[in-house]
Amino acid sequence: AEDEIAAIEKEIKQFWASFKSIYGGEQGNQTIALRDSCKESIKALTEKWSQKLNEEDLMIDKIKEYYNENLQQNKLISENNENFTEIKANLNHEEEQNKSLTDSIQELKEELIEKKKIIDSKNKATKERMERLCKSKALFEERLGLEIRRIHDEQLQFIFRHIDHKDPEKPYTFTLFINEQGDYEVTSCSPPLECIADFQQKVRETNNFSTFIANIRKAFTELSYK
């Protein structure tokens, strides 16, 4: 732009120099020709500068358009960065939840394994006790006149006879089962014995079932004499 302005000023100076050199000394037609030449030069320069200005306006509009597009792109990038940060935070949170859930599942598995071991151990002990009861059944029936029956809810009913000499067939009974803790528990006794709770506690401590049965029969026998 500065070069163009300098060129215009140079042409104007040349014009005035030519005008002064011929003014008054040349004929009118030379003056008119010079005037027309000046007009043509000014017109050409005006058109040239008008074109330049239009081009610069277009360039400015284009720059503004690029600038706005750049602002929009930066805005989209900023929004995408925020979304990415949020998504990453959500993923981290989900990973923490998954880890916590995995740890909880592992703890539950370990707890279930331990409980299964305990249950298996109790079931084994219960099975062994039931086997001992069954093995003792024949001995008790033969020596003590005892009948053992399996009734509802996995309970065993013990029936003693030949206790009352006045009525040898009169039954003396009590019902027994093994509870969840694996202990012997008497649920009924007929006729009732005041000492049955003591007998129950003692068999839990000693695990001597034969003595337990013998003590109950002895208590029934003593009761029959009263």
Side-chain angles (χ1 to χ4, degrees):
E2 292 179 356
D3 293 339
E4 295 291 341
I5 291 172
I8 291 173
E9 290 178 348
K10 183 178 180 181
E11 290 180 4
I12 292 173
K13 288 179 180 179
Q14 290 175 352
F15 165 75
W16 280 112
S18 299
F19 182 79
K20 288 178 181 180
S21 65
I22 63 173
Y23 182 72
E26 297 289 338
Q27 296 178 355
N29 58 349
Q30 293 178 340
T31 302
I32 295 171
L34 182 60
R35 184 194 61 184
D36 292 341
S37 175
C38 182
K39 286 183 179 179
E40 291 295 328
S41 297
I42 292 172
K43 181 180 179 182
L45 288 173
T46 301
E47 291 177 353
K48 182 177 181 180
W49 275 98
S50 177
Q51 184 179 359
K52 287 285 184 180
L53 289 175
N54 289 334
E55 291 176 355
E56 289 179 358
D57 288 339
L58 291 174
M59 183 64 67
I60 290 172
D61 292 339
K62 200 66 175 179
I63 291 172
K64 288 182 178 179
E65 182 180 349
Y66 288 153
Y67 178 75
N68 291 331
E69 289 180 358
N70 188 48
L71 288 178
Q72 187 66 23
Q73 290 294 328
N74 289 337
K75 182 179 179 181
L76 291 175
I77 291 172
S78 178
E79 292 176 352
N80 289 334
N81 286 336
E82 292 177 358
N83 292 334
F84 176 77
T85 301
E86 182 179 356
I87 292 171
K88 185 177 179 180
N90 291 335
L91 288 175
N92 291 336
H93 181 63
E94 290 181 1
E95 288 178 357
E96 291 177 357
Q97 286 185 328
N98 289 336
K99 185 178 184 302
S100 177
L101 181 60
T102 301
D103 293 341
S104 298
I105 292 174
Q106 184 61 31
E107 290 178 2
L108 287 174
K109 285 182 178 180
E110 293 175 357
E111 184 177 348
L112 288 175
I113 291 173
E114 291 299 322
K115 286 184 177 180
K116 186 176 184 301
K117 288 180 180 179
I118 294 173
I119 292 173
D120 290 343
S121 178
K122 288 182 177 180
N123 289 340
K124 182 179 179 181
T126 300
K127 182 179 179 180
E128 290 175 353
R129 290 187 178 185
M130 292 300 295
E131 289 176 353
R132 288 198 297 270
L133 289 177
C134 292
K135 290 179 180 179
S136 301
K137 178 180 178 181
L139 178 63
F140 291 150
E141 288 179 349
E142 180 182 353
R143 296 186 180 182
L144 303 177
L146 174 64
E147 179 184 356
I148 302 175
R149 297 176 182 174
R150 187 186 296 273
I151 58 176
H152 59 84
D153 297 330
E154 296 299 322
Q155 297 186 83
L156 294 177
Q157 185 181 51
F158 295 78
I159 305 172
F160 293 98
R161 302 183 190 280
H162 308 300
I163 290 179
D164 189 347
H165 64 281
K166 296 178 182 179
D167 186 4
E169 295 300 318
K170 179 181 178 180
Y172 290 75
T173 66
F174 76 93
T175 304
L176 178 75
F177 87 107
I178 299 175
N179 61 24
E180 293 181 356
Q181 288 72 37
D183 297 325
Y184 295 110
E185 184 172 337
V186 177
T187 58
S188 66
C189 184
S190 179
L193 295 174
E194 295 180 359
C195 56
I196 193 68
D198 294 335
F199 293 160
Q200 176 180 270
Q201 183 60 33
K202 191 170 183 179
V203 73
R204 289 180 178 179
E205 295 173 354
T206 64
N207 202 31
N208 192 332
F209 191 74
S210 298
T211 300
F212 172 69
I213 295 296
N215 288 336
I216 292 179
R217 190 178 193 286
K218 181 180 179 182
F220 278 145
T221 300
E222 292 175 352
L223 184 63
S224 69
Y225 287 115
K226 295 181 180 181

